[in-house]
Amino acid sequence: MLQGRRIVVGVTGGIAAYKAVEVCRRLVDAGAHVVPVMTAGAERFLGRTTLSALCSEPVQTSLWNEVSPIPHTRLGQSADLVLVVPATARLLGAYAAGLSTDLLTNTLLATRAPVVVCPAMHTEMWEHPAVQHNMQVLRSRGVHVVEPDEGRLAGGDIGAGRLATPDRIVAVVEQLLGPHDMAGLRVVVTAGGTREPIDAVRVIANRSSGKQGYAIAAEALGRGADVTIVSTVELPVPIGAVVRSVETAAEMQAAMNELAPTADVVVMAAAVADFRPVDRAQGKLKKAAGPPQIVLEATPDILAALGAAKPAGQVLVGFAAETSDLVANAEAKLRRKNLDLIVANDVSAPGVGFQHDTNAVTLLCAGGDATTIELSDKRQVARAVLDSVCVIRNSPRGASPS
Ligand code: PMT
C-alpha cells in the first residue's frame, strides 16, 4: 500500500511519544520508507535507539549535522508526507505561527507534501482557545488532523486529548498516500462466523475471528473504496467503513440481498454455518432433561445465490476453507458458485485461517490464473486479494458473466 513512499515522522515531547514507535513499525510494514525526527522534548520520553531500530533511517534531531549541508529543507522537500505523532500544543502553536526553531518545525515549513498532525495533550490544554485557534488555522491551510480520542490521560485524568490509535493514524496516511485504484468503488465484505441458536443461550458457532474480513475492508478503504462490512463480530471499525451487524446465516443473507446488487465488489470472507437447528428452543434447555436431540437443516448458500444473481461487471470473491485437496475443492466452489475469484486457505496448516493474525492462500481466478501467497500478515493477504480484484476489473473480459 505504501511501497516506496517516503514519510517523515516527527515525534514531539509528550507522554504519548512511545506510541509513535508502533505507528512507525506499521508504516514500515506497509512498505513506507520512514524517516524519524525527534524534538528535544521527545528525547525525554523516548530513546533514539528504539525509534532508529524500527524506522528506515537513524533518528535525526538537529538542524546542525555533518551529513547534509541543508538538512532543514532537505527532509521536507523529499517527503511524500510529513506526520507528526504525537503533536504537542507547543509544536502546533509554532507550526501555526510559522516559527522554525528546530529540525521538525523547519521540515514542516519546507514541505509541499501533505501534513498530518496527531494532537495529544491534557483536556484543559486541548480545549484552550489558543490551541483550538491554532487548530483552526492549520485546518484552513489544508493540514490533516487526526482528532484525539477521549480516554485515560497521563496522571489518571480522563477526557479528550488522548492520542488517536495507531490504527486510525495509519489509516489516514494510507488514505492520503494509497494507490486509489479502487476510488469510488462500492465494496461489501462479510466477516466473522455466523451463530445459529439452539436455545435462548446456546449457539452453533465456528472459530472465525473476522480478522481476515476486516483486513480486506481496511485495505479497500486505503485504496479509496466505499466499504460496508457485514459482520458477526465486534472489532475496531476501520475508519470510514459502515458496519452492518448480523448473527445468523439468514440475517447475513438478508443483508447481502440488500447490499450486493449495487456493489462493484463483493467478498465473502465470513465462515457461514452450513447447518442450523430446525427449531430454536424457547428459553434455556434444562440439563436435567438429558442431552437434547438437535435436528439440523441446511442454511441457505449465500454466495451461490449471489453468484446466480450477479450483476454485470460485479467482481464476486469467495473464500474456501479446506483441510484437504485445497485447489480441487476450491476450483469446484469457484465454478459452482459462479465466482470471479476464490481465496483458498488450508485451515489445517500452522498459522493459517481461523483466528490467526496470519494466513496463507492460493488465489484462483475464473480465467484460470493461480497465485500462491505464502504465510503472511492477513493485511498482506488482503492486498493480494484486492490486487487480483483490480486485475479482473481491468481485464478486457472483466468479471465473469452472470
Ligand atoms: O475470520 P478469521 O479468523 O480471520 O479466519 C478467516 C477465515 C478462515 C474464516 C477465512 O479465511 C475463510 O476461509 N472464510 C470462508 C470460510 C468458509 O465458510 O469456507 P467454505 O469453504 O465453507 O465456504 C465457501 C464460501 O461460501 C465462503 O466464501 C463462504 O462465505 C460461503 N458460504 C458458505 C456456506 C453458506 N451457507 N453460505 C456461504 O455463502
Side-chain angles (χ1 to χ4, degrees):
M1 165 85 50
L2 298 175
Q3 208 60 44
R5 307 314 293 270
R6 189 176 173 88
I7 301 175
V8 173
V9 177
V11 184
T12 66
I15 192 73
Y18 74 96
K19 295 184 184 168
V21 172
E22 175 65 10
V23 172
C24 289
R25 191 189 63 78
R26 292 202 195 185
L27 295 174
V28 169
D29 283 353
H33 182 96
V34 176
V35 182
V37 174
M38 284 168 86
T39 62
E43 288 199 76
R44 292 183 172 269
F45 292 92
L46 190 64
R48 281 189 201 198
T49 317
T50 311
L51 209 55
S52 294
L54 285 160
C55 291
S56 317
E57 293 183 8
V59 167
Q60 298 190 46
T61 54
S62 170
L63 276 168
W64 315 107
N65 68 41
E66 278 118 46
V67 181
S68 164
I70 43 171
H72 68 293
T73 55
R74 188 183 56 83
L75 284 182
Q77 285 167 340
S78 60
D80 291 310
L81 184 140
V82 181
L83 171 69
V84 186
V85 54
T88 56
R90 185 200 63 79
L91 180 282
L92 294 165
Y95 185 26
L99 299 177
S100 56
T101 49
D102 58 13
L103 181 58
L104 180 56
T105 43
N106 271 268
T107 301
L108 286 165
L109 296 185
T111 192
R112 295 207 169 111
V115 173
V116 179
V117 295
C118 311
M121 63 198 79
H122 266 76
T123 311
E124 293 83 351
M125 293 174 72
W126 174 241
E127 290 176 352
H128 193 284
V131 173
Q132 286 303 312
H133 172 76
N134 290 334
M135 296 312 299
Q136 242 174 27
V137 168
L138 293 176
R139 280 194 199 94
S140 72
R141 291 181 188 150
V143 172
H144 302 270
V145 179
V146 184
E147 298 289 330
D149 288 336
E150 291 208 6
R152 198 160 171 276
L153 305 167
D157 295 347
I158 293 180
R162 186 184 162 95
L163 183 70
T165 60
D167 272 349
R168 280 183 57 209
I169 296 169
V170 173
V172 170
V173 173
E174 287 178 342
Q175 279 166 19
L176 288 166
L177 286 188
H180 293 117
D181 52 359
M182 298 186 79
L185 295 185
R186 282 156 303 185
V187 175
V188 180
V189 186
T190 63
T194 61
R195 288 185 296 275
E196 311 297 332
I198 297 170
D199 65 11
V201 298
R202 301 179 180 94
V203 293
I204 294 177
N206 63 64
R207 297 183 190 281
S208 172
S209 63
K211 287 178 192 172
Q212 185 63 80
Y214 274 68
I216 289 169
E219 177 71 16
L221 282 160
R223 295 165 84 139
D226 295 329
V227 177
T228 301
I229 311 173
V230 177
S231 174
T232 67
V233 292
E234 281 186 21
L235 288 179
V237 178
I239 296 178
V242 172
V243 174
R244 182 76 72 89
S245 295
V246 296
E247 184 170 11
T248 63
E251 288 171 11
M252 186 172 279
Q253 185 175 43
M256 293 308 283
N257 284 348
E258 187 190 320
L259 297 166
T262 54
D264 299 296
V265 179
V266 174
V267 183
M268 282 288 297
V272 184
D274 287 320
F275 303 103
R276 65 186 171 200
V278 173
D279 293 311
R280 172 192 170 150
Q282 291 299 312
K284 181 186 171 197
L285 288 168
K286 290 289 174 212
K287 185 178 174 186
Q293 297 292 316
I294 301 171
V295 182
L296 300 177
E297 65 180 2
T299 56
D301 191 320
I302 304 169
L303 186 55
L306 295 177
K310 188 163 56 133
Q314 181 182 84
V315 178
L316 184 58
V317 182
F319 270 69
E322 308 292 343
T323 53
S324 63
D325 300 325
L326 181 71
V327 170
N329 285 334
E331 266 172 356
K333 287 175 186 171
L334 175 80
R335 280 193 298 276
R336 195 169 69 243
K337 303 192 187 198
N338 190 31
L339 310 179
D340 300 292
L341 176 69
I342 195 153
V343 185
N345 36 198
D346 175 355
V347 294
S348 63
V352 174
F354 293 90
Q355 292 179 323
H356 301 290
D357 290 333
T358 49
N359 208 353
V361 300
T362 302
L363 306 178
L364 301 168
C365 292
D369 293 345
T371 312
T372 300
I373 311 296
E374 304 297 345
L375 193 69
S376 8
D377 189 87
K378 279 184 171 161
R379 182 65 188 261
Q380 276 167 269
V381 170
R383 197 162 302 147
V385 170
L386 295 185
D387 284 348
S388 288
V389 165
C390 290
V391 169
I392 292 167
R393 276 186 58 81
N394 296 332
S395 72
R397 276 180 300 120
S400 59
S402 53

